[in-house]
Amino acid sequence: MRNRFRLTVQLLFTIVTNGYMYGFLNGKIYRGGLKYACVPGLSCYSCPGAVASCPIGALQALLNQRGFQVPFAALGFFFVFGSMLGRFVCGWLCPFGLVQDLLHKIPLFKKEKRLPGHRILKYGKYVTLALLVCVGSMFLFGGFAKVPAFCKYLCPSGTLLGAFPLLGTNEALRNQAGGLFLWKLGVLLGIVLLSVKVFRPFCQYLCPLGAIYGWFNHFSLVQIHWEQERCVSCGACERACPVGLSLHEISRSPECIRCGKCADACPQKCLHFTGRTGYKSTESQSS
Amino acid sequence: MSFWKNRNARAWIWGVLAGITFLVIGAVQGQFSVIWQKAVMICLECIGIG
């Protein structure tokens, strides 16, 4: 039930934040005032339908400026969204997360929660954040200009939501596509194929936005609260968790995307979404 | 003990306040214009051309 509700929220949010139909029809992008703001999820601002900016793109745009300036505006969006929602953004509001969720529903291959070597590979997203988003954007140059390295070399959302609609409708752009486009196409295809077998491989191993929001999972407003006194330790939540977390890791772990499948699976209904205020009062009562 | 738990429970408020402060500083420094200028042009790097 909640899973269907989550899918509805994901679809609605994707449509609302990428709903500029004129852009899709004419191969142009929205140029209005809403693009001063960022959406919470990974959503390419070069998508013809995008009505707001990508937070990782915004961070890189600020780091790409001449000299160095602390990217306060991007940090501001991260802190506001992260402090309120944590990785709930990944589970419920990210368009590329929705794409991976849908791919994982395709009845092909034996489904896996994680890749082999997960314990090491999960740090890949922090490496992406540090090397491609931060260091790469500050020190990598193409000609005389700094390069948004993550967008240029890795971001599959840009290829899927930006390149395909734009190249499909704009012949001039199509004629310029070369080796870099083929590289990005290869990255996208790899992630698409992997998503059919493994649950959200990009989110688990490569997404810099997930790395940022994961840090906020410890103290964000939205949490999944566990009522320990009602728990019978049946393990249903751990079996249902799509990223293979243990009961004690659910909600607080940087890997938890707050999809709510654990709460749905619990026969005792001792896991449920809550704000921190509710969490505090329950914990105070139990202590 | 509950003091620390309660303090932790309110941490998200400090996070939101810090975020709003960052947004204001970013606005004063004109960073939103930088984001807007990047976002309203087709990002050639994003689509694998630039």
Side-chain angles (χ1 to χ4, degrees):
Chain A
M1 179 67 182
R2 195 201 305 271
N3 214 17
R4 197 166 289 174
F5 176 61
R6 184 170 74 95
L7 182 63
T8 307
V9 172
Q10 286 175 297
L11 282 169
L12 280 176
F13 198 80
T14 301
I15 291 168
V16 167
T17 54
N18 292 281
Y20 183 60
M21 291 311 296
Y22 178 85
F24 279 116
L25 296 173
N26 297 287
K28 294 181 176 171
I29 62 173
Y30 172 72
R31 297 170 61 91
L34 288 174
K35 279 201 167 171
Y36 280 104
C38 292
V39 288
L42 194 72
S43 183
C44 184
Y45 44 37
S46 281
C47 170
V51 296
S53 293
C54 168
I56 291 292
L59 174 61
Q60 288 182 114
L62 294 171
L63 293 173
N64 283 162
Q65 286 181 285
R66 187 176 289 186
F68 175 77
Q69 208 175 31
V70 178
F72 282 111
L75 290 176
F77 285 114
F78 293 140
F79 268 76
V80 171
F81 292 138
S83 300
M84 294 181 75
L85 302 170
R87 288 197 77 177
F88 180 87
V89 170
C90 308
W92 291 71
L93 304 177
C94 179
F96 198 69
L98 168 64
V99 170
Q100 290 173 92
D101 280 352
L102 294 176
L103 286 167
H104 199 62
K105 289 180 190 293
I106 297 173
L108 282 175
F109 311 134
K110 184 175 176 249
K111 304 298 176 189
E112 302 281 352
K113 292 183 177 181
R114 297 170 164 183
L115 281 174
H118 171 83
R119 283 189 178 194
I120 295 169
L121 290 176
K122 71 180 180 183
Y123 295 108
K125 51 185 173 291
Y126 303 101
V127 174
T128 306
L129 176 64
L131 293 187
L132 282 181
V133 177
C134 297
V135 177
S137 296
M138 283 187 280
F139 298 109
L140 202 63
F141 284 80
F144 295 103
K146 292 180 185 176
V147 168
F150 170 74
C151 295
K152 184 168 182 173
Y153 297 113
L154 192 65
C155 182
S157 179
T159 314
L160 183 69
L161 300 173
F164 284 166
L166 284 175
L167 299 190
T169 49
N170 191 323
E171 195 182 345
L173 288 174
R174 199 159 52 236
N175 292 335
Q176 293 178 57
L180 180 63
F181 177 73
L182 288 177
W183 163 256
K184 287 202 69 177
L185 192 60
V187 171
L188 175 65
L189 283 175
I191 290 168
V192 163
L193 284 175
L194 207 54
S195 298
V196 180
K197 184 171 176 60
V198 180
F199 182 78
R200 290 198 180 203
F202 182 75
C203 305
Q204 289 198 72
Y205 304 114
L206 290 171
C207 183
L209 201 51
I212 293 170
Y213 288 142
W215 180 69
F216 291 94
N217 263 8
H218 295 285
F219 60 88
S220 64
L221 170 65
V222 173
Q223 296 283 341
I224 296 177
H225 176 54
W226 173 42
E227 285 183 63
Q228 193 173 357
E229 58 275 19
R230 288 172 59 187
C231 182
V232 293
S233 302
C234 65
C237 52
E238 294 179 357
R239 287 192 295 276
C241 178
V243 291
L245 297 177
S246 70
L247 177 57
H248 292 277
E249 292 174 310
I250 285 171
S251 196
R252 301 285 179 84
S253 164
E255 307 301 314
C256 178
I257 58 167
R258 275 97 187 256
C259 62
K261 286 185 179 178
C262 53
D264 281 348
C266 180
Q268 298 292 316
K269 300 294 170 209
C270 59
L271 286 162
H272 48 84
F273 279 97
T274 182
R276 289 296 298 197
T277 311
Y279 168 79
K280 186 182 73 178
S281 62
T282 314
E283 235 189 24
S284 305
Q285 285 165 13
S286 65
S287 59
Chain B
M1 189 64 189
S2 63
F3 168 78
W4 292 105
K5 282 180 181 170
N6 289 350
R7 201 177 84 144
N8 194 32
R10 284 196 296 267
W12 71 272
I13 297 174
W14 294 108
V16 171
L17 289 175
I20 292 168
T21 308
F22 290 155
L23 288 173
V24 171
I25 296 171
V28 170
Q29 294 187 349
Q31 293 185 354
F32 285 93
S33 301
V34 176
I35 294 171
W36 183 82
Q37 281 166 13
K38 179 72 180 174
V40 297
M41 307 286 283
I42 291 175
C43 167
L44 296 179
E45 292 93 351
C46 301
I47 62 172
I49 289 177

